Amino acid sequence: MISLNEAFPFWNSLTELEQEEVLDNITIRQYRTGETIKKQAGLYLVSDGYIMVYSNHENGRRRVVFSAQWLDSILFTPTFLKDSNSTYLELISRESSEVCFINYDAWRRFEIKRPEVVDFSRKVLSEQMSALTFVLYAKMEKDLSKRLALFLLRHFEKNKENNGSIIRISHEELADLIGSTREVITRNISVLKSEGLIETGRGKIRIIDENKLREYANDQKNNNWEK
């Protein structure tokens, strides 16, 4: 097992009895390449190998949230697991790995005794939440971009006989209709433009390729989630 003073910055501030208590509460677990790791409240310290944490999307695809390698820690508190439940977090051993696990009840006892442990926990949780927030924000942005594409397609279908490819509407009006802000709408219009799906002019949007826009809206080609 790795030397814990390399993994825990607070280690040398603990008394010998406290260090022994930590060691007594460590369970060493081995995982094969590709094996799913049971998700439970506690601290996972990677002593060998490579662990990936994924967020599963409702359509079956997944995206990497963060990873943990040698000396890295993953901390799942009961609150973190409850708050992140909707994102279906999953831990996978990317290669043969060894993990030192401390259940949350034991870890919490160390936190109560030592503010240094609390500081360590906050740092780990902050990094995890930052990574998770980034993934969720990216997903919300993508969902809004798809809603925008669907709105344009519906307008096209309703006005097919009257040059429906041109939609005369401002970014502010779009934001009100879709339920967003002008800045976010402008950013997502830029995405559709960069994909070659639409053109824009003063107060208007023109659909360039209906079929590709439909594919985009149906999530067939515009997909940044890992399969």
Side-chain angles (χ1 to χ4, degrees):
M1 189 175 74
I2 60 174
S3 176
L4 293 182
N5 68 335
E6 296 180 89
F8 297 144
F10 57 80
W11 184 254
N12 290 330
S13 68
L14 303 181
T15 66
E16 287 188 13
L17 285 175
E18 288 171 334
Q19 291 178 354
E20 288 178 9
E21 186 181 358
V22 173
L23 290 169
D24 289 342
N25 281 278
I26 288 178
T27 302
I28 298 177
R29 300 173 177 177
Q30 308 283 342
Y31 299 99
R32 300 183 304 275
T33 300
E35 184 175 353
T36 299
I37 299 171
K38 183 180 179 181
K39 185 177 62 176
Q40 60 188 109
L43 183 99
Y44 299 76
L45 171 62
V46 180
S47 52
D48 190 31
Y50 190 16
I51 305 300
M52 304 295 293
V53 180
Y54 294 95
S55 175
N56 287 319
H57 195 233
E58 61 268 17
N59 61 11
R61 297 182 177 90
R62 63 188 184 185
R63 184 173 183 178
V64 175
V65 181
F66 54 88
S67 62
Q69 302 181 56
W70 185 66
L71 296 182
D72 289 337
S73 293
I74 299 170
L75 179 59
F76 287 158
T77 66
T79 300
F80 181 88
L81 290 177
K82 181 180 178 181
D83 290 347
S84 62
N85 186 55
S86 61
T87 63
Y88 306 106
L89 292 182
E90 183 180 22
L91 282 71
I92 302 289
S93 181
R94 186 70 178 269
E95 57 188 50
S96 295
S97 302
E98 180 183 88
V99 173
C100 300
F101 179 76
I102 302 175
N103 71 61
Y104 184 72
D105 288 340
W107 186 257
R108 182 62 185 147
R109 290 199 299 271
F110 305 144
E111 288 183 326
I112 292 171
K113 293 178 181 178
R114 287 285 184 168
E116 300 96 323
V117 180
V118 174
D119 291 340
F120 177 81
S121 297
R122 285 174 178 166
K123 180 177 182 296
V124 173
L125 285 170
S126 176
E127 291 172 352
Q128 291 175 184
M129 286 305 300
S130 178
L132 184 58
T133 299
F134 177 82
V135 169
L136 293 176
Y137 178 77
K139 179 182 179 297
M140 287 188 290
E141 280 279 287
K142 182 182 173 186
D143 287 347
L144 191 139
S145 188
K146 287 172 61 178
R147 291 208 310 273
L148 175 59
L150 286 169
F151 175 87
L152 297 176
L153 285 166
R154 283 196 296 269
H155 186 282
F156 175 82
E157 292 294 337
K158 288 181 180 179
N159 298 279
K160 220 169 192 177
E161 304 302 321
N162 188 28
N163 198 14
S165 63
I166 297 178
I167 300 144
R168 300 189 180 278
I169 193 169
S170 69
H171 291 192
E172 289 88 349
E173 290 172 309
L174 266 175
D176 288 339
L177 289 169
I178 294 176
S180 184
T181 65
R182 183 186 183 282
E183 292 75 17
V184 173
I185 289 295
T186 299
R187 186 162 60 243
N188 281 276
I189 284 175
S190 296
V191 171
L192 298 184
K193 285 177 65 176
S194 68
E195 294 286 336
L197 306 176
I198 64 171
E199 287 180 347
T200 60
R202 188 174 181 83
K204 65 181 180 181
I205 298 171
R206 185 171 77 87
I207 297 174
I208 297 174
D209 193 318
E210 176 202 352
N211 292 329
K212 285 186 178 180
L213 186 63
R214 200 173 299 281
E215 288 175 350
Y216 183 99
N218 290 331
D219 202 25
Q220 293 176 359
K221 290 190 175 181
N222 180 52
N223 201 310
N224 293 324
W225 292 76
E226 181 181 345
K227 294 182 178 179

